[in-house]
Amino acid sequence: MKALGSQPNPPSWGLVRAGERNLDLNQAYNYPDAAGSGVTVYVVDTGIDVTHPEFEGRATWGNTACSGCASKDDNDHGTHCAGTIGGKTFGIAKKVKLVAVKVLDAQGSGSDADVIAGINWAANAAKSSGKPGVISMSLGGGKSDTLDQAVKAAIAGGVTFAVAAGNDSTQDQQADACTGSPSGVAEAIVVGATDDTDTRAYFSDTGKCLSIFAPGVNILSAKPGGGSQSMDGTSMATPHVAGVAAIVLSQNPSLTPAQVKAAIVNGATAGKVSDPGNGSPNKLLFNAVIGSASTSSTTTASSTKTTSTTTKSSTTTKSSSTTTKSTTKTTTKSTSTATPTPTDTCPWWAWWC
């Protein structure tokens, strides 16, 4: 038996859903009390506001891999993801350590070379620490063999990866996660997004490369400067899984990445996701899995980007939307029905690009 912690009235519905088998969002968030203790999650993203009170001093700045980038989260995306992984209020694994590895600039874009440099730095840091490590990557781009190989090498070195499936599907056509990087890496835990009715978010990529689904629509988490905000995307689903990976490793730190993936995928709740998509596993994240020795488990583009969609900002509640611009245009979707004209300076993650 494992001791359980409980958080009454959690601010994000994703916490409640990750802690229960059947959909009932009026419950507390229940979680194994180990809560990621002794594990470090490296957030390869836009940085983290390490001074945010959500992190209670457990977040540190690790490395700024992108050329010309400031050593701070000037985009908001990374802090939001880190809050879902391990914030005291918004987090899945409330005792985990968090390390910022900045590979994306203020517009949420970066080169594959910078992302690979961040992956290598994080993998080496995890190995040097002698403690279990997880890399959370809420980003993606076109197929890149070199990026995929960097992820595979880090996994072979003992680091578990949670990566976003991508947001390229539309209401009319599904996009295959296998066509992107690093979402096509079979050894990683590839995460699709669901909404608060257990329905696949229509923007979520699908297919056999997905490992699992997790909450990714209207997720409330930390915002740089001490506030909070809500975001949508497979970017938001991925940190839920990274947090559960930390919980698994805190209970059994000797597990390999393949065993962590098997524990999460095999321990997920089956058959709950409505319209999971062509070839996708009907598996929904559950946080109380226990790792075992089982090992079963289910960008040629020059830039890599975050995989969130719309952002609603506030200090305590959700309010008006904001946008972040990038130099690269892609096709991430949100729930809006308006269709502005794409431009080359459109935010890469914006649904209209």
Side-chain angles (χ1 to χ4, degrees):
M1 299 294 290
K2 299 288 182 179
L4 294 178
S6 185
Q7 178 185 5
N9 303 311
S12 176
W13 70 268
L15 297 181
V16 179
R17 193 65 190 99
E20 62 186 10
R21 288 294 190 187
N22 298 309
L23 180 63
D24 182 356
L25 299 182
N26 295 314
Q27 301 300 311
Y29 170 50
N30 298 310
Y31 56 92
D33 196 48
S37 177
V39 180
T40 301
V41 177
Y42 299 85
V43 185
V44 178
D45 209 290
T46 65
I48 302 173
D49 177 5
V50 298
T51 67
H52 198 297
E54 265 297 297
F55 304 125
E56 306 174 298
R58 292 178 286 107
T60 58
W61 195 271
N63 180 254
T64 303
C66 50
S67 177
C69 290
S71 293
K72 63 179 182 178
D73 183 7
D74 44 12
N75 176 273
D76 293 8
H77 188 270
T79 298
H80 190 282
C81 292
T84 300
I85 296 166
K88 68 176 182 179
T89 307
F90 303 111
I92 289 282
K94 300 181 183 298
K95 299 178 183 178
V96 74
K97 291 184 178 180
L98 300 156
V99 175
V101 182
K102 183 166 182 171
V103 299
L104 304 177
D105 62 19
Q107 287 72 45
S109 296
S111 70
D112 288 350
D114 289 345
V115 174
I116 290 168
I119 291 169
N120 291 340
W121 185 92
N124 289 331
K127 183 176 180 179
S128 299
S129 74
K131 296 181 179 180
V134 176
I135 291 179
S136 183
M137 294 181 66
S138 289
L139 50 78
K143 199 66 177 174
S144 168
D145 291 339
T146 53
L147 177 56
D148 288 350
Q149 288 301 319
V151 172
K152 291 179 180 181
I155 293 172
V159 183
T160 298
F161 273 68
V163 305
N167 306 329
D168 297 315
S169 292
T170 68
Q171 294 279 18
D172 301 319
Q173 185 172 357
Q174 296 172 26
D176 187 354
C178 295
T179 64
S181 290
S183 57
V185 175
E187 296 86 348
I189 308 172
V190 181
V191 189
T194 55
D195 65 17
D196 60 4
T197 68
D198 288 351
T199 302
R200 175 180 60 88
Y202 80 84
F203 53 74
S204 178
D205 288 6
T206 60
K208 65 181 182 180
C209 287
L210 259 72
S211 308
I212 199 167
F213 285 92
V217 176
N218 196 26
I219 302 300
L220 188 67
S221 188
K223 177 184 178 181
S228 62
Q229 61 185 332
S230 182
M231 293 187 184
D232 302 338
T234 56
S235 277
M236 285 59 256
T238 301
H240 287 84
V241 174
V244 173
I247 290 174
V248 171
L249 283 166
S250 66
Q251 295 175 103
N252 193 340
S254 66
L255 292 183
T256 67
Q259 290 168 341
V260 174
K261 179 177 179 178
I264 292 173
V265 173
N266 295 339
T269 305
K272 295 294 185 180
V273 179
S274 298
D275 186 27
N278 299 330
S280 304
N282 198 318
K283 297 273 190 173
L284 187 61
L285 182 68
F286 181 59
N287 72 347
V289 298
I290 305 297
S292 71
S294 172
T295 57
S296 63
S297 68
T298 40
T299 355
T300 306
S302 61
S303 63
T304 305
K305 316 91 175 179
T306 57
T307 49
S308 62
T309 58
T310 53
T311 305
K312 305 170 201 171
S313 302
S314 70
T315 54
T316 55
T317 58
K318 302 181 286 289
S319 68
S320 60
S321 65
T322 61
T323 59
T324 305
K325 293 189 176 181
S326 165
T327 57
T328 305
K329 181 172 62 177
T330 62
T331 53
T332 304
K333 312 300 173 184
S334 79
T335 54
S336 177
T337 56
T339 310
T341 302
T343 69
D344 287 338
T345 58
C346 188
W348 87 263
W349 44 258
W351 46 271
W352 59 82
C353 295

